[in-house]
Short mmCIF file of all heavy atoms in Angstrom, two decimals:
data_model
loop_
_atom_site.label_atom_id
_atom_site.label_comp_id
_atom_site.label_asym_id
_atom_site.label_seq_id
_atom_site.Cartn_x
_atom_site.Cartn_y
_atom_site.Cartn_z
N THR A 732 -39.84 155.05 -26.29
CA THR A 732 -40.42 153.79 -25.82
C THR A 732 -40.02 152.68 -26.72
O THR A 732 -39.75 151.56 -26.17
CB THR A 732 -41.90 153.84 -25.81
OG1 THR A 732 -42.32 154.42 -27.09
CG2 THR A 732 -42.52 154.84 -24.75
N ASP A 733 -39.75 152.83 -28.05
CA ASP A 733 -39.30 151.92 -28.93
C ASP A 733 -37.94 151.33 -28.37
O ASP A 733 -37.79 150.17 -28.48
CB ASP A 733 -39.14 152.41 -30.36
CG ASP A 733 -40.53 152.64 -30.94
OD1 ASP A 733 -41.46 152.11 -30.36
OD2 ASP A 733 -40.65 153.22 -32.05
N GLN A 734 -37.15 152.26 -28.08
CA GLN A 734 -35.74 151.79 -27.68
C GLN A 734 -35.93 151.01 -26.34
O GLN A 734 -35.25 149.91 -26.23
CB GLN A 734 -34.85 152.93 -27.30
CG GLN A 734 -34.34 153.76 -28.60
CD GLN A 734 -33.59 154.93 -28.20
OE1 GLN A 734 -34.08 155.79 -27.26
NE2 GLN A 734 -32.40 155.23 -28.71
N ILE A 735 -36.64 151.44 -25.45
CA ILE A 735 -36.82 150.75 -24.12
C ILE A 735 -37.50 149.27 -24.35
O ILE A 735 -37.07 148.34 -23.84
CB ILE A 735 -37.63 151.64 -23.10
CG1 ILE A 735 -36.93 152.97 -22.85
CG2 ILE A 735 -37.88 150.89 -21.86
CD1 ILE A 735 -37.64 153.90 -21.96
N ASN A 736 -38.33 149.37 -25.29
CA ASN A 736 -39.14 148.08 -25.61
C ASN A 736 -38.28 147.04 -26.06
O ASN A 736 -38.63 145.80 -26.01
CB ASN A 736 -40.32 148.31 -26.48
CG ASN A 736 -41.62 148.50 -25.60
OD1 ASN A 736 -41.73 147.89 -24.45
ND2 ASN A 736 -42.58 149.25 -26.03
N VAL A 737 -37.10 147.35 -26.51
CA VAL A 737 -36.23 146.26 -27.05
C VAL A 737 -35.90 145.29 -25.87
O VAL A 737 -35.60 144.13 -26.05
CB VAL A 737 -34.86 146.93 -27.48
CG1 VAL A 737 -33.83 145.86 -27.73
CG2 VAL A 737 -35.12 147.76 -28.83
N HIS A 738 -35.94 145.91 -24.58
CA HIS A 738 -35.73 145.03 -23.51
C HIS A 738 -37.01 144.47 -22.79
O HIS A 738 -36.87 143.88 -21.69
CB HIS A 738 -35.02 145.86 -22.43
CG HIS A 738 -33.62 146.39 -22.88
ND1 HIS A 738 -32.54 145.59 -22.87
CD2 HIS A 738 -33.25 147.60 -23.35
CE1 HIS A 738 -31.45 146.24 -23.38
NE2 HIS A 738 -31.87 147.38 -23.70
N ALA A 739 -38.09 144.55 -23.49
CA ALA A 739 -39.32 144.03 -22.86
C ALA A 739 -39.18 142.55 -22.69
O ALA A 739 -38.59 141.83 -23.53
CB ALA A 739 -40.42 144.38 -23.80
N GLY A 740 -39.60 142.10 -21.63
CA GLY A 740 -39.77 140.68 -21.43
C GLY A 740 -38.47 139.95 -21.00
O GLY A 740 -38.39 138.71 -20.90
N SER A 741 -37.38 140.78 -20.81
CA SER A 741 -36.10 140.13 -20.63
C SER A 741 -35.74 140.02 -19.14
O SER A 741 -34.78 139.25 -18.78
CB SER A 741 -35.01 140.88 -21.32
OG SER A 741 -35.11 142.38 -20.96
N SER A 742 -36.31 140.82 -18.25
CA SER A 742 -35.92 140.87 -16.77
C SER A 742 -37.02 141.59 -15.97
O SER A 742 -37.85 142.30 -16.53
CB SER A 742 -34.59 141.61 -16.73
OG SER A 742 -34.32 141.96 -15.41
N ARG A 743 -37.02 141.29 -14.67
CA ARG A 743 -37.95 142.04 -13.73
C ARG A 743 -37.39 143.38 -13.42
O ARG A 743 -38.09 144.15 -12.76
CB ARG A 743 -38.06 141.17 -12.38
CG ARG A 743 -38.47 139.74 -12.66
CD ARG A 743 -39.85 139.51 -12.93
NE ARG A 743 -40.79 140.11 -11.89
CZ ARG A 743 -42.17 140.23 -12.19
NH1 ARG A 743 -42.57 139.95 -13.32
NH2 ARG A 743 -42.83 140.83 -11.33
N ILE A 744 -36.05 143.59 -13.56
CA ILE A 744 -35.38 144.79 -13.00
C ILE A 744 -36.05 146.13 -13.46
O ILE A 744 -36.08 147.10 -12.75
CB ILE A 744 -33.87 144.78 -13.20
CG1 ILE A 744 -33.30 143.42 -12.78
CG2 ILE A 744 -33.23 145.83 -12.41
CD1 ILE A 744 -33.63 143.04 -11.33
N PRO A 745 -36.43 146.19 -14.87
CA PRO A 745 -36.91 147.55 -15.25
C PRO A 745 -37.99 148.24 -14.30
O PRO A 745 -37.98 149.38 -14.28
CB PRO A 745 -37.47 147.19 -16.62
CG PRO A 745 -36.68 146.09 -17.21
CD PRO A 745 -36.38 145.26 -15.84
N ILE A 746 -38.64 147.35 -13.65
CA ILE A 746 -39.70 148.10 -12.71
C ILE A 746 -39.15 148.97 -11.71
O ILE A 746 -39.78 149.91 -11.11
CB ILE A 746 -40.62 146.91 -12.01
CG1 ILE A 746 -41.90 147.51 -11.27
CG2 ILE A 746 -39.88 146.04 -11.16
CD1 ILE A 746 -42.83 148.18 -12.26
N LEU A 747 -37.83 148.64 -11.40
CA LEU A 747 -37.17 149.39 -10.34
C LEU A 747 -36.64 150.69 -10.87
O LEU A 747 -36.11 151.50 -10.09
CB LEU A 747 -36.12 148.58 -9.73
CG LEU A 747 -36.53 147.27 -8.90
CD1 LEU A 747 -35.38 146.49 -8.37
CD2 LEU A 747 -37.50 147.73 -7.69
N PHE A 748 -36.68 151.04 -12.13
CA PHE A 748 -36.30 152.13 -12.66
C PHE A 748 -37.27 153.37 -12.32
O PHE A 748 -36.98 154.58 -12.51
CB PHE A 748 -36.14 152.24 -14.19
CG PHE A 748 -34.85 151.58 -14.71
CD1 PHE A 748 -34.51 150.33 -14.52
CD2 PHE A 748 -33.88 152.49 -15.19
CE1 PHE A 748 -33.19 149.76 -14.90
CE2 PHE A 748 -32.64 152.02 -15.67
CZ PHE A 748 -32.29 150.71 -15.46
#
Side-chain angles (χ1 to χ4, degrees):
T732 50
D733 286 351
Q734 287 173 313
I735 297 174
N736 261 331
V737 169
H738 296 283
S741 53
S742 160
R743 308 280 306 164
I744 310 300
I746 189 71
L747 296 176
F748 277 71

